[in-house]
Amino acid sequence: MKSVASAPGKVILFGEHFVVYGLKAILGSIDRRVTVTSIKTDNKDIIVKSSLGEVNMPSSGKYDQVKGSFRPFTFIAKKMIDKFQYDGGLEIIIDSNIPSGVGLGSSSACCVAAAGSISRLFSDFSRDEILNLAMEAERTIFREASGADSTVSVFGGIIEYDKETGYNKIESSSNFYLVIANSKQTHSTSKVVSKVKHFKEENEKVFSELCENESKLIETAHKAIKENDLVVIGKCMSENQKYLEQIGVSNEKLESMIKIAKETSYGAKLTGAGGGGCIISLTDEANLEKTLKKLQEKNYECFSARIDFQGLDTF
Ligand code: PMV
């Protein structure tokens, strides 16, 4: 018996870091996906295969006896095995076309696709149940995960998210293209989050002013996304970048990519935790190729992406 599921990665369009302090963030899922194939086998092993390697553990073992990055998969597998008192084995194969460790939500997409794929070998779970399972799995490697990445990966489209009220879908028939450029500097989200915490403690007044500005910016951006007003969305992105620079999460490489991208696009900013990772810039059909070309001329790895409206998909 075989079950296949795929789930998209994401970009944070607005509000990273400030979301940690209760503000809203706006996220969009992108058309880059992780596919997970799960198979029930006759032996009594859980086998997980990905481009990072392979782990093998007995179905009766503990999920955390495998190395870190494989734990979300063994966690989901064990949860299902125990819930359905299954005494066979499972093989789980992960195939991703989302660059990892650079803020594009690859680990959340892996958790969502794995939760969708493995759970379907046993029963039909709702999207909300799959989301909960994916979030639990993600917290085995990143305890502080807000759940926003997994949420947008399950439902697709563009969402507004805050810690207290959760997510809200933003209805938009957005027809923009994003250019995503990868600094190839991997980052540790938790380290950058701690750096911001320190900044906040040392600069309470500046930080609270920035929060006020960010809040207003998110309102403007939300409205512009609904109206598909690329000029305003782009301006908001570039303005958001300034706030991120002020809290110390940008760097020289990101800023040089942003400068190039801004010449031909509506606006650009880093996306995700910063300190490396990726930048996004907003384009349409008219300036997409130009923006890609400008970045490629400077040897930056970049690609175009669109908003994915499908979210989790099962086959
Ligand atoms: O780079 P990412 O995708 O891990 O983004 C982190 C976003 C933060 O706001 C910095 C942290 C968070 O949990 O929301």
Side-chain angles (χ1 to χ4, degrees), residues 199-216:
F199 175 88
K200 177 183 177 283
E201 283 162 5
E202 299 284 302
N203 305 277
E204 284 291 353
K205 191 162 174 282
V206 178
F207 194 80
S208 95
E209 278 167 16
L210 282 169
C211 283
E212 259 178 57
N213 292 343
E214 179 75 23
S215 239
K216 286 185 203 141

Side-chain angles (χ1 to χ4, degrees), residues 166-218:
Y167 70 90
N168 226 321
K169 199 148 187 160
I170 301 181
E171 292 308 331
S172 159
S173 55
S174 106
N175 63 0
F176 56 74
Y177 289 78
L178 292 169
V179 169
I180 301 180
N182 186 350
S183 71
K184 301 235 181 134
Q185 298 167 321
T186 51
H187 60 192
S188 148
T189 297
S190 50
K191 276 193 196 147
V192 192
V193 168
S194 307
K195 191 176 166 195
V196 175
K197 185 166 178 260
H198 188 72
F199 175 88
K200 177 183 177 283
E201 283 162 5
E202 299 284 302
N203 305 277
E204 284 291 353
K205 191 162 174 282
V206 178
F207 194 80
S208 95
E209 278 167 16
L210 282 169
C211 283
E212 259 178 57
N213 292 343
E214 179 75 23
S215 239
K216 286 185 203 141
L217 181 116
I218 299 271

Side-chain angles (χ1 to χ4, degrees), residues 24-305:
K24 289 189 160 89
I26 299 179
L27 291 85
S29 71
I30 53 168
D31 55 358
R32 287 253 166 169
R33 289 185 162 257
V34 172
T35 302
V36 174
T37 305
S38 310
I39 305 157
K40 279 186 172 172
T41 57
D42 291 336
N43 55 40
K44 294 194 186 302
D45 290 332
I46 299 171
I47 298 168
V48 187
K49 293 179 182 169
S50 82
S51 61
L52 297 177
E54 181 175 329
V55 293
N56 191 331
M57 64 169 265
S59 309
S60 55
K62 290 203 165 116
Y63 79 88
D64 57 2
Q65 72 187 63
V66 299
K67 58 184 167 194
S69 55
F70 287 92
R71 281 183 198 156
F73 310 105
T74 50
F75 173 85
I76 296 167
K78 275 296 291 177
K79 190 133 186 174
M80 291 297 111
I81 285 171
D82 294 346
K83 187 176 166 76
F84 292 92
Q85 298 178 342
Y86 169 66
D87 67 355
L90 291 176
E91 185 171 328
I92 300 155
I93 302 150
I94 299 129
D95 185 19
S96 172
N97 76 353
I98 308 172
S100 69
V102 287
L104 298 180
S106 90
S107 50
S108 303
C110 279
C111 292
V112 170
S117 161
I118 300 167
S119 66
R120 244 172 109 247
L121 287 174
F122 297 92
S123 179
D124 265 335
F125 285 80
S126 69
R127 282 190 175 218
D128 283 317
E129 286 166 329
I130 291 170
L131 174 59
N132 285 333
L133 185 56
M135 287 201 295
E136 266 189 87
E138 192 176 12
R139 288 187 181 128
T140 64
I141 42 170
F142 182 40
R143 273 174 66 89
E144 271 82 44
S146 64
D149 288 18
S150 311
T151 304
V152 78
S153 184
V154 168
F155 297 103
I158 301 178
I159 63 162
E160 191 170 63
Y161 177 89
D162 74 70
K163 273 185 165 175
E164 208 184 325
T165 47
Y167 70 90
N168 226 321
K169 199 148 187 160
I170 301 181
E171 292 308 331
S172 159
S173 55
S174 106
N175 63 0
F176 56 74
Y177 289 78
L178 292 169
V179 169
I180 301 180
N182 186 350
S183 71
K184 301 235 181 134
Q185 298 167 321
T186 51
H187 60 192
S188 148
T189 297
S190 50
K191 276 193 196 147
V192 192
V193 168
S194 307
K195 191 176 166 195
V196 175
K197 185 166 178 260
H198 188 72
F199 175 88
K200 177 183 177 283
E201 283 162 5
E202 299 284 302
N203 305 277
E204 284 291 353
K205 191 162 174 282
V206 178
F207 194 80
S208 95
E209 278 167 16
L210 282 169
C211 283
E212 259 178 57
N213 292 343
E214 179 75 23
S215 239
K216 286 185 203 141
L217 181 116
I218 299 271
E219 260 181 58
T220 311
H222 183 142
K223 188 164 170 281
I225 289 170
K226 274 185 156 170
E227 292 166 358
N228 200 29
D229 184 338
L230 300 197
V231 173
V232 175
I233 305 172
K235 275 192 185 146
C236 286
M237 279 168 59
S238 299
E239 184 67 17
N240 199 158
Q241 170 62 22
K242 287 189 202 156
Y243 306 158
L244 292 164
E245 286 172 18
Q246 286 184 57
I247 59 173
V249 301
S250 184
N251 69 26
E252 230 175 86
K253 190 163 186 188
L254 296 170
E255 283 160 35
S256 74
M257 296 194 295
I258 287 168
K259 190 162 172 250
I260 296 166
K262 267 173 77 174
E263 283 169 19
T264 49
S265 69
Y266 292 98
K269 65 183 272 294
L270 67 83
T271 183
C278 292
I279 66 134
I280 50 172
S281 76
L282 186 74
T283 68
D284 55 18
E285 261 172 68
N287 53 11
L288 171 66
E289 289 305 324
K290 272 186 249 169
T291 310
L292 285 168
K293 198 161 162 255
K294 287 258 178 207
L295 286 159
Q296 280 156 356
E297 274 167 9
K298 296 279 178 206
N299 290 323
Y300 291 121
E301 182 184 277
C302 57
F303 57 93
S304 70

